[in-house]
Amino acid sequence: MTSAAATPSARPGGLSADEIARLLPHRYPFSLLDRVTSVEPGVRAEAIKNVTASDPVLAGHFPGRMLYPGVLLVECVAQLAAVIYGSAAATRSTGELVADVAERVGYLAEIKQAKFLRTVLPGDQVVVRAQAGPRMGDLMSVTGQASVGRDVVMTTRLVVTERDNSE
Amino acid sequence: MVATLEETKTAAKARQVLCGEVKHLLVDRLGLAVDPELIGDDQPLFGRGLELDSIDTLELAMAVEEKFGVMITDDDTESLLSLNRLVDYVAGNR
């Protein structure tokens, strides 16, 4: 699929991989989200992660028994959390959903809970959801889940940080 | 206005109950390996006290809001310095 636009946009209300790359500093092989399907800046977001046999991590996890690592599903939620606060910062500063705000991305501060309910295999399309919770200082609590089809495959509660060098 | 002995006793009892609730909340929500009954009323929550860290402040604020309906914001974090201060804050704001 090609587009004439310099930065192809996802479906209305969503973000393409190129747009996500303006919000996040993550790059190959650690840019995990393929598309954000909906985002409510500062509040919640939903994204797609396609798991493919050509993903380099599956070469080692595990040879002869490819299995998408559960910790990377948690990382998907953490990256989506950065989309939530990044899109809020972009909206505040430019009025647009996307801006070059990747420097705001902080750290994964805490994994409070994570439960892995089903294995995720090559060919699975994972839908990742994240919801921002209460904030204090630069800390933001996040609840997230990943599902494949109708099955929830992972639930988690995290704390992430947002850097704010500008204020 | 001077409180009667009975009123003072009632207030002291209420505070004791609230202290107990906050101690149990701390231990349950932050997964502390300590008996709630052994936490002192003026014990600091951070550093050498209960050894909470800055990341715990968010969880504690969320727990206090859920249980007591009292919000702790960035401006009120001094209320988290000791158990007594936290109990004062909850008692004064709920």
Side-chain angles (χ1 to χ4, degrees), chain A residues 109-110 112 134-137 139-141 157 159, chain B residues 54-55 57-59 61-62 72-74 77 80:
Chain A
E110 185 177 13
K112 288 181 188 297
R135 302 185 63 145
M136 180 167 278
L139 300 170
M140 182 175 93
S141 62
R157 291 198 304 134
V159 176
Chain B
S54 61
I55 297 171
T57 58
L58 180 59
E59 180 70 16
M62 289 165 65
I72 300 172
T73 67
D74 288 343
T77 47
L80 298 174

Side-chain angles (χ1 to χ4, degrees), chain A residues 32-118:
Chain A
L32 299 184
L33 303 175
D34 293 322
R35 177 187 296 164
V36 171
T37 48
S38 69
V39 58
E40 193 177 336
V43 181
R44 54 164 295 284
E46 184 177 304
I48 289 171
K49 162 65 184 174
N50 289 307
V51 176
T52 170
S54 62
D55 189 323
V57 79
L58 295 181
H61 193 276
F62 302 103
R65 190 161 62 91
M66 291 188 202
L67 182 66
Y68 196 71
V71 289
L72 293 187
L73 295 175
V74 175
E75 174 63 22
C76 283
V77 172
Q79 292 189 14
L80 195 54
V83 167
I84 293 173
Y85 64 67
S87 59
T91 304
R92 280 196 305 273
S93 60
T94 68
E96 302 285 332
L97 211 51
V98 178
D100 296 314
V101 292
E103 78 282 355
R104 299 185 72 87
V105 172
Y107 306 103
L108 180 57
E110 185 177 13
I111 301 175
K112 288 181 188 297
Q113 174 266 333
K115 192 180 281 186
F116 304 99
L117 303 155
R118 299 279 290 266

